[in-house]
Amino acid sequence: MKYDQTRQVMAIAPVIPVVVVSDAASAVEIARALVAGGIRVIEVTLRTEAGLAAIEAIAQQVDDICVGAGTVWTAAQAEQAIAAGAEFMVSPGIADDVNAVAQARDIAYLPGAQTVSEIAYLKRQGVTATKLFPASVVGGPAAIKAFASVFPELVFCPTGGIKEDTAGDYLALDCVPCVGGSWLVSADAVAAGDWAAVRAAAERASLLSGA
């Protein structure tokens, strides 16, 4: 697996929207709103039965967006996600079977870690980019700064508990090219079909930085 592919995905936007969907039609509208707002990447979690169908619909119907599968734990899920059109995969923690599929299929993969030992384990597997989840619980920017001092060659995508007003604290770190966030696509906006609100959140997110 070419692990630099994962870094390329992380460089698309300062925020990777983490989205939970209940139907594929809403997923397409969400993706279109994100693109209109300047965010050209989306992580659709497999926490619902609609996840795979949503990935497939986005891949087929929305141009100029990199769609990935989140909450991928098993090899079967990984293969299904790739078949649906996922261009990258994300796991909240270590999932060796998913990593094996990612290597075999040469697809970007972002495994999760929470501790020094887990990060060290991933490094031994050749991983150079990891998701830190739940970031706000395991120590926030201070924890990532400490991890980076031990693993200077790694980059991190912190996710979990990050909000629009705290994202910049993470992005200020050189080892954090992007954060994962669910705030861009709120449940209320989706329920109301308020795609303008999603677009507005994406527009703000596209301008985020650590400056």
Side-chain angles (χ1 to χ4, degrees):
M1 176 183 168
K2 300 175 182 176
Y3 282 105
D4 60 347
Q5 291 177 355
T6 305
R7 291 184 178 228
Q8 290 169 9
V9 171
M10 296 170 74
I12 294 173
V15 182
I16 297 178
V18 180
V19 180
V20 181
V21 296
S22 58
D23 65 88
S26 293
V28 169
E29 295 300 331
I30 290 167
R32 287 174 175 161
L34 290 172
V35 171
I39 298 293
R40 300 183 180 277
V41 61
I42 183 173
E43 175 190 332
V44 178
T45 72
L46 301 186
R47 301 177 198 170
T48 68
E49 293 183 358
L52 288 171
I55 290 169
E56 184 172 17
I58 292 170
Q60 294 179 352
Q61 299 179 44
V62 185
D63 295 329
D64 300 322
I65 194 165
C66 180
V67 59
T71 322
V72 184
W73 285 118
T74 69
Q77 286 180 318
E79 293 288 2
Q80 290 169 342
I82 294 170
E87 298 176 73
F88 67 96
M89 299 184 294
V90 183
S91 298
I94 292 172
D96 288 335
D97 289 346
V98 178
N99 194 26
V101 172
Q103 291 188 45
R105 300 294 297 274
D106 195 24
I107 185 173
Y109 176 51
L110 192 63
Q114 294 81 32
T115 68
V116 170
S117 294
E118 290 174 346
I119 296 170
Y121 175 83
L122 290 174
K123 180 185 174 184
R124 291 194 297 273
Q125 310 309 307
V127 172
T128 64
T130 181
K131 171 176 179 172
L132 185 72
F133 175 84
S136 63
V137 175
V138 301
I144 296 174
K145 187 175 181 179
F147 291 146
S149 68
V150 181
F151 305 102
E153 67 279 21
L154 267 63
V155 293
F156 299 84
C157 176
T159 305
I162 300 174
K163 304 296 183 183
E164 185 174 348
D165 59 351
T166 62
D169 297 336
Y170 293 89
L171 293 169
L173 302 175
D174 291 338
C175 60
V176 177
C178 67
V179 301
S182 59
W183 80 85
L184 282 78
V185 184
S186 71
D188 289 344
V190 174
D194 190 354
W195 313 127
V198 176
R199 175 176 178 170
E203 288 174 344
R204 295 192 301 272
S206 70
L207 300 175
L208 285 172
S209 72

